[in-house]
Amino acid sequence: MRFRYTADMRFAWLPLLLATLPAWPATAWGASADAAMPALPSALREAEQGRLDTGTLGRFARHPLHPWLAASNQRARLQGANAATVSDLLQQLGEQPAADWLRQAWLRELARRKDWPNFLATMRAPQDIEQRCHVQVAHLQAGTSNAKWAAETRALWLTGRSLPGACDTAFAALEARGGIDAATRWQRIELAADAGETGLMRFLAGKLPARDAALARDYADFIDAPHARAQQWPRDARSRQVATVGLQRLAKRDPDAAEAQLPSLASALGLDAAQQGRVRYELALWTVASYAPGASKRLAAVPSAAYDDRLHEWRLRDALNQRDTAAAVQIIAAMPDNMRRDARWQYFEARLREQRGEAEAAQPLFAAAATQANFHGFLAADRLQQPYTLCPLEPPADPQLHARIAALPGLQRALALFAVDRRGHALREWNALLPTLTPEERLVAIELAQQAHWYDRAIFSLGDRPEDLRQYRLRFPLHHADTLTREAQRHALDPAWVAALTRAESAFMPEARSHANARGLMQLLPGTAQLTARRIGTQWNGAASLYQPRVNLQLGTAHLRFELDKHQGLPHLAMAAYNAGPTPVARWQQERGDLERDYFIETINYRETRDYVARVSAFSVIYDWRLHGAAVPLSDRLGGIDPRRATRRAFHCPSPDAIASIQP
């Protein structure tokens, strides 16, 4: 997602930011902070154009963003820059993120100039393949291309992907020294075959002997479109590898055609059990993912050694789609232990056993699942008519710790950059800061970021400790609550549900923008928003207006209301349509509309939509906790019951011993 902030928003945040960062002295500017702070965006723009004069730069000498002003000013002038001048600035900036940002641009300029001595003097650790190739070229020009150089260059060359033109000089030198022979070329062709890079395979074939070149091109043709000529290939490991890759790729496009070709090719080339198993895996996966006829048979044909979690899941979905509860129970029983301990599969095993009249076996499974604060845990608690499990934690409240973290220069720079709409720079500072913090310090930094309206830091920056996931207030921000509640109620929607959807869509970042051009808090496409504005009789002020929280929430809730009405008042269908569009949802309803709601959600074809519906549903429970301290039962919500008429469910936090004692 891309984020933008208007000037009004930036300046509205500056007083809060100044208060959050007490280490910023008001006298640092030669004027009051209130008078000087608005000069920063202008100074940044001047610096980014290379037009910031020394006097203005000096005015910001004590400001946290002085390094970025200096680095930006110099970066805009790199094309004619003196190497000593840039080197001196890099030395002054030290290890700050601004220095690395400038260094990367300077390295590109030095490579363009072919100034290899200064390139090697400036380089730290190469950050990408192009830089690694530039290093090899630099050593080549410096006369230090020894045996180590040859080994490193050969390792760069041996990849199944196409490489940038910056590598050509080093590779040509390696080939001239005999470092790329026919055997090495075949090795790379095999890597390209595994990656499906058939264009690269044909390119590499050009320098093989004629007979080998023809075979390599035939291999590439087979991967693109399997053909009968493969029956005549050499019966060797390379042919078997290519045949396996080609059939796997064909299985994704046309499972029937791949299945038809497998026996004869397996016999002609001697495909072993593992290779045939990989093809049968793809045959089964791409058949069952569309619930096509024959899925069960193809699933049964996959060797057990080729099964993974993904195929176990799809095998269960197929059984649910077939309404075969007996097979579904057996499929869960065959899952690995780590899967069976997941609340998702505990819940479904309990549901299936309950459906089969095995209530006694179902109860402990529901109880185990209900200890988890997630979609299936909440549904399990509903089946048991018990409170939802939620054990929230809060960040450290130590004022001294807060003051110490707020004074960290890296955090000050990150939040200041965020406030003036330099998100890329802000992320560089943030990402450099996080590894230096303890888990408790990280929580405080995230809390300070939220105070500066940088809400998604809690989502992308929390650690992987179990207790980090219990930071519900950080993980589930609730901004623009008054507007959200007003617009939700205007369209007879539950505010907790709207907040949950907003959290899933944008993490409450008002200027979120997706690759598909969905914008704002509720991630509306401009076309959808315009149509919605016309539908509710409000003025449409263009796509940019979607970055305004009031406008976005007004149109987003209206669109959600439209989807809810269109789908019989059932939230799970409305959420699916909001995410995937109405066409696939109509198809799924036609195919499986009679399935119970939890089964229907689990059998949604698209993983993104399947997870989205479950995630937003679970989030609605947590936002109910934030808003009311008790929640509309999730089963009632999915059933379309008016939340105003529902009996809310309480929350509790069982002790670790109580949770550990629950054994399915």
Side-chain angles (χ1 to χ4, degrees):
M1 292 186 295
R2 189 158 65 92
F3 297 80
R4 296 178 181 172
Y5 293 86
T6 65
D8 289 344
M9 292 175 66
R10 288 197 291 266
F11 292 122
W13 293 3
L14 290 176
L16 172 62
L17 187 61
L18 193 62
T20 303
L21 308 176
W24 293 15
T27 58
W29 303 78
S32 71
D34 289 342
M37 286 289 282
L40 179 61
S42 176
L44 270 172
R45 288 192 295 271
E46 291 292 307
E48 288 160 353
Q49 296 170 18
R51 301 189 310 190
L52 194 64
D53 60 80
T54 304
T56 305
L57 182 60
R59 288 182 57 217
F60 291 87
R62 296 176 60 190
H63 189 277
L65 295 192
H66 179 268
W68 285 99
L69 289 167
S72 297
N73 205 42
Q74 182 61 75
R75 181 164 160 149
R77 302 173 176 179
L78 285 181
Q79 190 165 354
N82 176 273
T85 301
V86 181
S87 179
D88 287 346
L89 179 56
L90 287 172
Q91 188 171 1
Q92 292 171 26
L93 294 174
E95 299 302 317
Q96 296 188 51
D100 187 63
W101 177 72
L102 175 60
R103 180 178 294 107
Q104 298 311 310
W106 182 230
L107 286 168
R108 289 192 293 272
E109 171 63 17
L110 291 171
R112 186 190 67 81
R113 296 181 187 183
K114 302 190 186 305
D115 183 352
W116 301 118
N118 277 314
F119 182 91
L120 288 175
T122 305
M123 173 61 67
R124 300 288 182 85
Q127 294 191 358
D128 55 37
I129 189 72
E130 186 170 63
Q131 282 193 352
R132 291 174 65 192
C133 287
H134 280 148
V135 168
Q136 299 309 101
V137 173
H139 282 299
L140 180 67
Q141 299 299 327
T144 54
S145 52
N146 51 23
K148 180 183 178 184
W149 175 91
E152 290 174 347
T153 305
R154 185 176 183 274
L156 281 172
W157 188 82
L158 277 174
T159 174
R161 303 294 181 182
S162 296
L163 294 167
C167 304
D168 292 348
T169 300
F171 293 158
L174 179 66
E175 187 170 12
R177 299 179 187 189
I180 302 176
D181 57 13
T184 309
R185 193 169 292 274
W186 268 117
Q187 189 176 350
R188 189 175 179 195
I189 288 172
E190 292 171 11
L191 293 170
D194 280 340
E197 294 282 350
T198 54
L200 178 59
M201 293 174 69
R202 295 184 180 96
F203 171 78
L204 293 167
K207 291 189 178 181
L208 288 173
R211 180 174 295 181
D212 284 358
L215 180 59
R217 286 192 288 268
D218 209 42
Y219 284 156
D221 290 345
F222 183 87
I223 291 175
D224 283 339
H227 51 68
R229 297 188 303 276
Q231 303 278 349
Q232 309 305 317
W233 285 349
R235 189 181 170 93
D236 58 20
R238 184 179 297 138
S239 295
R240 288 189 284 272
Q241 172 201 357
V242 172
T244 302
V245 171
L247 289 176
Q248 285 178 289
R249 288 168 64 86
L250 178 61
K252 298 178 183 181
R253 304 189 305 269
D254 188 344
D256 292 341
E259 186 175 50
Q261 293 195 38
L262 177 59
S264 59
L265 272 178
S267 175
L269 300 177
L271 301 185
D272 63 25
Q275 290 166 329
Q276 293 185 58
R278 289 198 290 273
V279 176
R280 293 197 179 280
Y281 175 97
E282 299 294 345
L283 287 171
L285 178 63
W286 294 97
T287 303
V288 71
S290 58
Y291 301 109
S296 299
K297 181 179 179 181
R298 285 174 177 166
L299 284 162
V302 178
S304 58
Y307 259 80
D308 60 5
D309 291 359
R310 191 181 184 191
L311 210 58
H312 280 295
E313 292 180 13
W314 274 110
R315 191 179 183 190
L316 176 62
R317 291 186 193 111
D318 183 60
L320 296 177
N321 178 55
Q322 299 293 334
R323 287 70 169 172
D324 191 341
T325 58
V329 169
Q330 293 176 356
I331 290 165
I332 293 177
M335 288 179 173
D337 288 344
N338 67 305
M339 288 187 71
R340 294 196 67 193
R341 287 192 294 269
D342 188 282
R344 184 183 204 171
W345 311 121
Q346 289 174 332
Y347 170 78
F348 277 114
E349 182 176 358
R351 276 282 282 122
L352 290 160
R353 290 191 180 280
E354 182 183 62
Q355 197 170 349
R356 289 169 55 80
E358 302 171 16
E360 188 174 345
Q363 292 301 301
L365 289 163
F366 279 135
T371 64
Q372 302 299 308
N374 56 34
F375 177 65
H376 297 97
F378 296 148
L379 286 179
D382 284 351
R383 306 300 292 193
L384 297 173
Q385 295 292 302
Q386 71 180 36
Y388 290 140
T389 293
L390 200 74
C391 297
L393 294 176
E394 293 289 336
D398 182 357
Q400 293 183 337
L401 177 60
H402 276 248
R404 180 166 60 80
I405 300 305
L408 292 175
L411 182 63
Q412 292 186 353
R413 291 192 296 267
L415 297 186
L417 287 162
F418 178 78
V420 292
D421 194 21
R422 299 303 188 276
R423 181 176 169 80
H425 295 344
L427 283 172
R428 289 181 179 90
E429 290 285 358
W430 182 267
N431 292 336
L433 172 69
L434 283 190
T436 70
L437 303 178
T438 66
E440 290 71 25
E441 292 170 339
R442 179 182 294 224
L443 292 174
V444 173
I446 290 170
E447 190 171 30
L448 291 171
Q450 285 207 350
Q451 291 174 12
H453 306 313
W454 199 358
Y455 300 112
D456 67 357
R457 292 304 83 200
I459 297 165
F460 299 119
S461 304
L462 279 172
D464 54 6
R465 304 178 306 162
E467 52 265 44
D468 291 329
L469 296 178
R470 294 166 57 189
Q471 294 288 336
Y472 293 110
R473 184 172 60 81
L474 291 183
R475 290 178 57 214
F476 295 91
L478 187 57
H479 197 48
H480 310 293
D482 291 343
T483 304
L484 185 151
T485 299
R486 182 183 67 248
E487 295 301 328
Q489 292 175 344
R490 175 179 297 175
H491 297 287
L493 299 173
D494 182 15
W497 185 41
V498 175
L501 186 140
T502 303
R503 160 62 166 78
E505 291 288 348
S506 68
F508 276 87
M509 300 297 287
E511 297 291 317
R513 184 174 178 178
S514 76
H515 295 299
N517 199 32
R519 304 182 181 207
L521 289 171
M522 297 185 72
Q523 287 291 275
L524 292 171
L525 291 169
T528 300
Q530 184 176 15
L531 179 62
T532 302
R534 186 182 308 125
R535 186 181 291 127
I536 65 174
T538 192
Q539 184 175 351
W540 168 244
N541 294 316
S545 68
L546 292 174
Y547 295 128
Q548 300 172 24
R550 179 188 60 79
V551 173
N552 196 282
L553 289 169
Q554 178 191 32
L555 297 177
T557 52
H559 175 57
L560 185 58
R561 179 75 249 178
F562 171 77
E563 293 293 355
L564 189 62
D565 290 342
K566 183 179 178 180
H567 293 92
Q568 301 86 49
L570 295 174
H572 69 291
L573 297 178
M575 286 184 280
Y578 197 98
N579 177 262
T583 302
V585 175
R587 183 176 68 251
W588 301 333
Q589 280 187 276
Q590 184 177 13
E591 294 170 348
R592 299 185 299 283
D594 61 332
L595 279 177
E596 295 185 59
R597 284 179 289 276
D598 49 355
Y599 291 165
F600 180 92
I601 293 168
E602 184 57 39
T603 57
I604 288 175
N605 299 62
Y606 301 167
R607 176 180 177 179
E608 178 188 342
T609 305
R610 185 170 61 247
D611 292 347
Y612 178 88
V613 173
R615 187 167 66 252
V616 173
S617 299
F619 289 177
S620 69
V621 173
I622 296 172
Y623 275 107
D624 255 339
W625 167 75
R626 286 216 59 181
L627 289 166
H628 307 292
V632 173
L634 186 51
S635 299
D636 289 351
R637 184 182 297 281
L638 294 176
I641 294 176
D642 187 337
R644 293 170 296 184
R645 295 201 300 269
T647 301
R648 292 184 176 270
R649 194 171 301 289
F651 290 87
H652 75 146
C653 180
S655 69
D657 289 342
I659 293 176
S661 69
I662 298 174
Q663 298 295 330

